[in-house]
Amino acid sequence: MSKAPDSDKAENGGPSTVEQYLVKDPERFALNMARMIEQAGKAASAWAEPREKGEVRDHVAEPVVDMVKTFSKLSEYWLADPQRALEAQTRLFAGYMTVWANAIQKVNPNAEAPEDAVKPERGDKRFQDPEWGRNAFFDFLKQAYLVTSRWATDLVEHAEGLDEHTRHKAGFYVKQVSNAIAPSNFILTNPELFRETVASNGENLVRGMKMLAEDIAAGRGDLKLRQADYAPFEIGKNIATTPGKVIGRSDVAEIIQYDPATETVLKHPLLVCPPWINKYYILDLNPQKSFIRWAVEQGHTVFVISWINPDERHGAKGWEAYIREGLQYGLDTVEKATGEKEVNAIGYCVGGTLLAAALALLAQEGDHRIKSATFFTTQVDFTHAGDLKVFVDEDQVAAVERSMSEKGYLEGTKMATAFNMLRSGDLIWPYVINNYMRGKDPLPFDLLYWNADSTRMAAANHSFYLRNCYLENNLSRGTMELAGRTVSLADITIPVYNLATKEDHIAPALSVFLGSQYFGGDVEYVMAGSGHIAGVVNPPAAHKYQYWTGAKPVGDFGQWFAAAHEHPGSWWTHWQHWIESQDNVHVPARKPGKRMKTLGDAPGTYVKVRV
């Protein structure tokens, strides 16, 4: 069927018309609506069946109760003073009046186009379709939404007397609600979705409901949001492909040694301790992005801890178990494989926090095999922790512990959802729209494949982490207890390379900077551009971002940054020079299996266990 002339005009920049929003084939549209309802029934069944069988128990009330409590505290401030409440309502009403006046002016063909009452923030991609500004109806919805969300954000920012944790939570919850109710998320209030639905006679919704049913079934009763086309990827085939061997296996970790790529290597091997939240291969996504492969090519004998994806058997495994059966087991394995007692170590995110706690414990126990420590976006002090702190107070931690007690672990989808919520505008709603409303398959993307490859959290491990780090901040306070000892970061006197990233929402650069002061030795603080992942996984060949170096990380962070030197490109080469400045002695390259039996090819078996 040919397009109406007015529709052509609208798509090419002419005036908006209603023609493009009218159903052209009512019978076909009605048939597709029936098919959509059928698929929606399958989605409902996929959600209900595991609950009827007792396989899934919902804990939805707990986060909702926390949100209500938080908003109640915010409301107390604004409603306690009638004058203050009236002023807040007047500001909102004034914003609506401006939007209404603009709408009236826009429908008048003789009037000059008014200035918007409020504009989307820079980088907001939700309102890029021309109809958001050209069509009076959609323009009104957009501006009313933006006025309301900005007003709600201002209520949080200007509420006096709120403690910082409550303010942080209130701001976070306001952002989640604002992102969820955006008119861009609904078919009838999003011009692009509306047009696509009409143009396809609703076939997009049939495909979307089918995908929704599939994703709920894949999550075994919970929605496992599809962020990429995962089919093209296979671990060991085109992801995590750096050649090597598994040379050790404990209850919690496999130890991988990678094949050398140089004739000689640094005398000190390199042991990498990644986070057990998600999997280690973020450092080995593909040959072009792989830090592991790059480090091998720089002459390191690289060993990586690949953590188990825990189940019921691992519920009682706490931090001491992860230190003994992970880090220390790794050190023992490196020594057996190379004959070398002294190593360099890297810890990433929570793997770095574990490494720091282990170093403090091992220092007291007289184990000094680690001669330098590098931390990637690692917090040891949680005073200014990132947005994950929103989920951590006594009530919420107790609720998580009750949930974990049922099976001995926290479901991987729970952590994945929490991380996605930190950037819901990027990691949730665009995929809800693309998948379930537009009915389109997401594109292949190795990083999002990794992001979706969830891991469970062993109950004892996760509880220890939440309480000792986020809730009580025991590590930096010198009150963390491990193996019957009270550990102190001041006992860590080896050289430390402490990498932060400028836009990190999980381990903020300020938090990493302040944590540097607790170590007992010299600390090289470096801040890379971008965020928690892209700032770390930034190979030199990409010529992306930048990094800053400066004076010792003491005093005011703002002053440090103002005086820091900016360098283009990747921090990887700077780290390599730092490592070589510690000890640049080389020895003949070491091949896996020369001194001990291997247990299979990298990337091993633990990393392939999915949830």
Side-chain angles (χ1 to χ4, degrees):
M1 185 178 292
S2 62
K3 293 181 182 176
D6 285 343
S7 295
D8 287 333
K9 283 184 180 180
E11 290 181 9
N12 293 319
S16 177
T17 71
V18 297
E19 179 71 20
Q20 58 190 318
Y21 301 112
L22 298 180
V23 175
K24 308 299 190 301
D25 189 342
E27 291 185 8
R28 188 176 170 194
F29 187 85
L31 177 62
N32 282 330
M33 290 303 98
R35 292 171 59 204
M36 181 197 73
I37 293 171
E38 179 185 0
Q39 293 297 331
K42 293 180 180 179
S45 177
W47 181 87
E49 186 176 350
R51 287 161 175 79
E52 292 171 353
K53 294 179 177 179
E55 297 171 356
V56 172
R57 187 174 299 177
D58 288 316
H59 299 274
V60 175
E62 289 155 350
V64 172
V65 166
D66 184 72
M67 184 171 68
V68 171
K69 286 181 180 178
T70 302
F71 284 158
S72 295
K73 292 178 182 179
L74 180 65
S75 300
E76 284 176 12
Y77 170 78
W78 289 104
L79 297 179
D81 183 343
Q83 180 66 27
R84 191 159 54 211
L86 179 61
E87 290 174 356
Q89 292 171 356
T90 301
R91 286 196 298 273
L92 180 61
F93 183 71
Y96 286 156
M97 289 301 295
T98 302
V99 173
W100 181 252
N102 286 353
I104 293 176
Q105 197 169 346
K106 279 202 170 188
V107 297
N108 183 354
N110 299 320
E112 185 178 345
E115 185 72 21
D116 286 349
V118 60
K119 293 183 182 295
E121 292 183 3
R122 188 176 181 180
D124 189 341
K125 300 177 181 178
R126 294 174 295 179
F127 305 106
Q128 291 181 332
D129 189 278
E131 285 286 279
W132 285 111
R134 190 165 51 204
N135 184 292
F137 171 72
F138 294 116
D139 181 63
F140 179 84
L141 289 175
K142 176 193 72 176
Q143 291 196 59
Y145 163 73
L146 291 174
V147 164
T148 306
S149 58
R150 299 274 175 87
W151 174 79
T153 300
D154 287 343
L155 289 186
V156 176
E157 292 179 358
H158 297 129
E160 299 174 5
L162 285 182
D163 64 273
E164 281 307 307
H165 183 57
T166 300
R167 187 186 303 278
H168 193 177
K169 288 202 296 183
F172 179 81
Y173 288 139
V174 163
K175 186 175 181 180
Q176 299 309 312
V177 173
S178 294
N179 285 343
I181 66 172
S184 55
N185 294 340
F186 305 96
I187 292 169
L188 296 179
T189 56
N190 182 328
E192 190 174 5
L193 290 177
F194 204 149
R195 288 198 308 271
E196 288 187 18
T197 302
V198 169
S200 71
N201 289 299
E203 288 183 6
N204 56 316
L205 301 183
V206 179
R207 295 192 303 269
M209 284 300 103
K210 183 175 183 293
M211 292 173 68
L212 179 64
E214 291 171 353
D215 290 354
I216 294 176
R220 296 172 186 168
D222 290 323
L223 176 61
K224 189 172 184 179
L225 184 63
R226 196 181 318 191
Q227 295 174 317
D229 179 4
Y230 307 135
F233 302 109
E234 184 179 349
I235 294 174
K237 296 292 185 182
N238 54 8
I239 275 186
T241 59
T242 301
K245 300 289 184 182
V246 177
I247 62 169
R249 183 178 293 124
S250 71
D251 280 349
V252 302
E254 288 183 332
I255 309 300
I256 301 171
Q257 180 183 355
Y258 290 92
D259 296 344
T262 54
E263 291 185 3
T264 63
V265 294
L266 288 166
K267 185 173 186 293
H268 287 172
L270 181 66
L271 177 62
V272 180
C273 179
W276 53 85
I277 301 173
N278 288 113
K279 295 178 180 176
Y280 86 87
Y281 64 85
I282 186 60
L283 296 174
D284 191 27
L285 276 178
N286 62 46
Q288 290 73 41
K289 298 177 184 176
S290 174
F291 175 84
I292 290 171
R293 184 181 292 261
W294 181 86
V296 168
E297 292 169 351
Q298 306 313 303
H300 292 275
T301 307
V302 179
F303 295 80
V304 170
I305 297 170
S306 176
W307 298 107
I308 189 78
N309 203 337
D311 54 34
E312 294 88 346
R313 299 167 297 164
H314 304 92
K317 299 279 189 182
W319 270 37
E320 184 180 351
Y322 272 63
I323 290 172
R324 302 300 191 201
E325 301 172 41
L327 262 168
Q328 266 191 308
Y329 177 68
L331 291 172
D332 295 340
T333 305
V334 170
E335 187 174 346
K336 291 177 183 176
T338 65
E340 180 62 49
K341 290 186 176 182
E342 298 182 347
V343 307
N344 298 312
I346 292 176
Y348 190 174
C349 188
V350 65
T353 311
L354 180 77
L355 173 62
L359 285 168
L361 173 64
L362 298 182
Q364 289 192 21
E365 295 180 340
D367 186 340
H368 302 291
R369 286 178 287 180
I370 297 176
K371 291 304 178 182
S372 80
T374 297
F375 297 104
F376 296 168
T377 58
T378 293
Q379 294 180 108
V380 294
D381 176 75
F382 288 75
T383 305
H384 299 283
D387 284 344
L388 280 176
K389 202 168 184 179
V390 165
F391 302 109
V392 183
D393 51 41
E394 181 58 44
D395 290 343
Q396 292 187 91
V397 171
V400 170
E401 289 173 335
R402 287 194 297 273
S403 175
M404 293 191 297
S405 67
E406 297 172 8
K407 293 182 178 179
Y409 58 83
L410 183 69
E411 289 284 0
T413 52
K414 305 297 184 185
M415 282 302 301
T417 299
F419 276 105
N420 287 338
M421 285 179 67
L422 300 183
R423 294 173 54 206
S424 60
D426 297 321
L427 295 177
I428 294 180
W429 294 109
Y431 297 101
V432 170
I433 293 169
N434 181 78
N435 301 358
Y436 310 135
M437 297 184 191
R438 301 182 74 184
K440 293 186 176 181
D441 289 316
L443 297 174
F445 190 12
D446 52 8
L447 178 59
L448 289 177
Y449 174 89
W450 167 84
N451 189 58
D453 193 3
S454 305
T455 54
R456 308 179 191 97
M457 302 294 111
N461 180 323
H462 199 48
S463 177
F464 187 94
Y465 177 48
L466 294 177
R467 289 193 172 277
N468 280 270
C469 296
Y470 279 96
L471 196 59
E472 299 169 7
N473 204 14
N474 288 331
L475 185 55
S476 66
R477 290 173 57 211
T479 54
M480 178 180 282
E481 295 185 3
L482 282 168
R485 298 174 183 266
T486 304
V487 299
S488 171
L489 294 173
D491 290 334
I492 302 173
T493 57
I494 60 175
V496 166
Y497 189 99
N498 210 9
L499 177 78
T501 54
K502 190 172 186 287
E503 299 169 16
D504 200 329
H505 57 286
I506 295 173
L510 170 63
S511 182
V512 177
F513 179 87
L514 295 178
S516 300
Q517 67 183 297
Y518 294 100
F519 295 106
D522 291 335
V523 177
E524 177 83 9
Y525 177 83
V526 176
M527 184 174 69
S530 196
H532 193 73
I533 302 298
V536 174
V537 184
N538 181 29
H543 302 293
K544 293 177 67 176
Y545 312 127
Q546 70 281 91
Y547 64 95
W548 290 264
T549 59
K552 291 183 180 295
V554 294
D556 181 74
F557 172 65
Q559 292 179 358
W560 181 93
F561 182 48
H565 300 288
E566 182 177 345
H567 311 271
S570 174
W571 58 270
W572 289 13
T573 52
H574 180 268
W575 170 80
Q576 178 68 14
H577 293 320
W578 181 84
I579 282 285
E580 291 173 347
S581 72
Q582 309 304 315
D583 190 337
N584 199 23
V585 176
H586 281 67
V587 298
R590 311 163 174 122
K591 294 183 179 180
K594 189 173 182 179
R595 297 172 62 105
M596 60 189 300
K597 183 181 178 180
T598 63
L599 304 177
D601 292 330
T605 58
Y606 282 2
V607 74
K608 295 180 180 179
V609 176
R610 299 182 68 87
V611 300

